[in-house]
C-alpha cells in the first residue's frame, strides 16, 4: 500500500500523458522552451497534494533540484535514442532497433527516478507547512488551479528563453500548456480538492 501511495505521481503522469494530444503538446513545449515534461507533470500532481497551485518559486526549486540529473542522465539518453532514428550508420536498421529500444527503456527509468525525486520533495514541502494545507478557497474551481499551475511552470521556462508574452511563440506555448491543464481535469489525484469540476 505504501508503495502505491509513493507511485501516485507516476500513475498520474502516465495517465495524463496518455490522454489525447497531451504527449504532442508536452513535446512541443520541451522543444520550444526546454521545458522539463516531468516538472510539468509532477507540478500538476503537486497541486492536488498541496491543494493549491505551485508558485513560480516552487517550480524553480523543483527544476533546480533535478537539473543535473536531467542534463547529465536523461537528456543524453534521449539524445542517443533520437540519434538512432536516423543514423549514424548502420542505424537505423534491424541491427540497431534493439539497442534503441533498450535505450528507450533506460530513458523511461531515468525519468521515473527523476519524478520520484520530485515527488519526495513535494511531500517534504507538504509536511513542512506550519499548518495543514488549507482547503481551496470556496469558489475556486479545480480547473483554475490546474491552469494556474501550468502558467507557473511556463513562466519559469519562458523566462529562461526571455520571450515576451506578446511573442507569438509564447502565446502558442500558453495555448499548448492550457490544453494540458484541461486534459488533467478529472484525473485521479489522491488529495485533489472536493471542489473539482
Amino acid at each position: 500500500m505504501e508503495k502505491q501511495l509513493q507511485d501516485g505521481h507516476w500513475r498520474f503522469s502516465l495517465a495524463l500523458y496518455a490522454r489525447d494530444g497531451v504527449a504532442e503538446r508536452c513535446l512541443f513545449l520541451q522543444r520550444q522552451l526546454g521545458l522539463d515534461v516531468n516538472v510539468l507533470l509532477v507540478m500538476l500532481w503537486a497541486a492536488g497534494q498541496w491543494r493549491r497551485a505551485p508558485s513560480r518559486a516552487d517550480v524553480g526549486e523543483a527544476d533546480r533540484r533535478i537539473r543535473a540529473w536531467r542534463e547529465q542522465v536523461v537528456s543524453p539518453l534521449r539524445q542517443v535514442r533520437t540519434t538512432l532514428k536516423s543514423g549514424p550508420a548502420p542505424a537505423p536498421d534491424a541491427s540497431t532497433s534493439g539497442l534503441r529500444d533498450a535505450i528507450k527503456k533506460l530513458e523511461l527509468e531515468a525519468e521515473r527516478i527523476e519524478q520520484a525525486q520530485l515527488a519526495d520533495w513535494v511531500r517534504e514541502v507538504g509536511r513542512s507547512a506550519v499548518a495543514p494545507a488549507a482547503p481551496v478557497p470556496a469558489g475556486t474551481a479545480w480547473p483554475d488551479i490546474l491552469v494556474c499551475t501550468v502558467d507557473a511552470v511556463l513562466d519559469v521556462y519562458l523566462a529562461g528563453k526571455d520571450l515576451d508574452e506578446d511573442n507569438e511563440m509564447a502565446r502558442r506555448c500558453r495555448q499548448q500548456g492550457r490544453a494540458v491543464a484541461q486534459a488533467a481535469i478529472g484525473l485521479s489525484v489522491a488529495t485533489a480538492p472536493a471542489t473539482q469540476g
Side-chain angles (χ1 to χ4, degrees):
M1 180 65 170
E2 181 65 25
K3 176 75 170 140
Q4 288 179 334
L5 290 173
Q6 290 177 349
D7 288 344
H9 62 280
W10 188 243
R11 287 192 313 276
F12 172 83
S13 293
L14 292 176
L16 177 54
Y17 200 75
R19 288 206 159 178
D20 189 39
V22 170
E24 294 81 5
R25 289 180 172 99
C26 287
L27 293 175
F28 173 85
L29 295 169
Q30 180 179 278
R31 282 191 308 273
Q32 299 303 319
L33 302 178
L35 180 142
D36 188 320
V37 173
N38 290 302
V39 170
L40 174 61
L41 298 172
V42 173
M43 290 298 95
L44 286 165
W45 175 77
Q49 302 301 303
W50 294 343
R51 297 177 175 259
R52 66 167 174 85
S55 66
R56 288 183 199 173
D58 293 326
V59 175
E61 177 62 15
D63 183 78
R64 186 193 66 73
R65 285 179 172 259
I66 50 78
R67 185 175 301 139
W69 180 259
R70 176 180 63 235
E71 291 174 355
Q72 296 175 38
V73 178
V74 177
S75 293
L77 287 168
R78 181 178 300 131
Q79 180 61 44
V80 171
R81 176 184 54 81
T82 303
T83 298
L84 287 172
K85 284 183 181 179
S86 58
D93 74 1
S95 70
T96 61
S97 65
L99 175 62
R100 186 170 179 277
D101 290 344
I103 292 168
K104 186 175 183 177
K105 287 177 185 173
L106 290 172
E107 180 187 354
L108 186 62
E109 179 62 13
E111 289 184 335
R112 190 195 61 74
I113 290 168
E114 177 182 329
Q115 278 210 11
Q117 294 299 305
L118 287 170
D120 286 346
W121 173 74
V122 167
R123 290 183 195 97
E124 286 172 25
V125 170
R127 284 192 300 268
S128 68
V130 175
V136 173
T140 302
W142 180 237
D144 294 335
I145 291 172
L146 294 173
V147 169
C148 289
T149 298
V150 169
D151 281 347
V153 173
L154 291 175
D155 287 346
V156 168
Y157 289 98
L158 282 166
K161 290 293 183 183
D162 199 29
L163 288 176
D164 185 285
E165 285 296 323
D166 292 331
N167 179 285
E168 178 60 27
M169 182 53 65
R171 283 196 296 272
R172 286 184 64 203
C173 288
R174 293 278 181 204
Q175 290 170 343
Q176 297 298 313
R178 288 180 178 161
V180 172
Q182 289 300 309
I185 296 169
L187 278 181
S188 175
V189 179
T191 58
T195 56
Q196 286 185 21

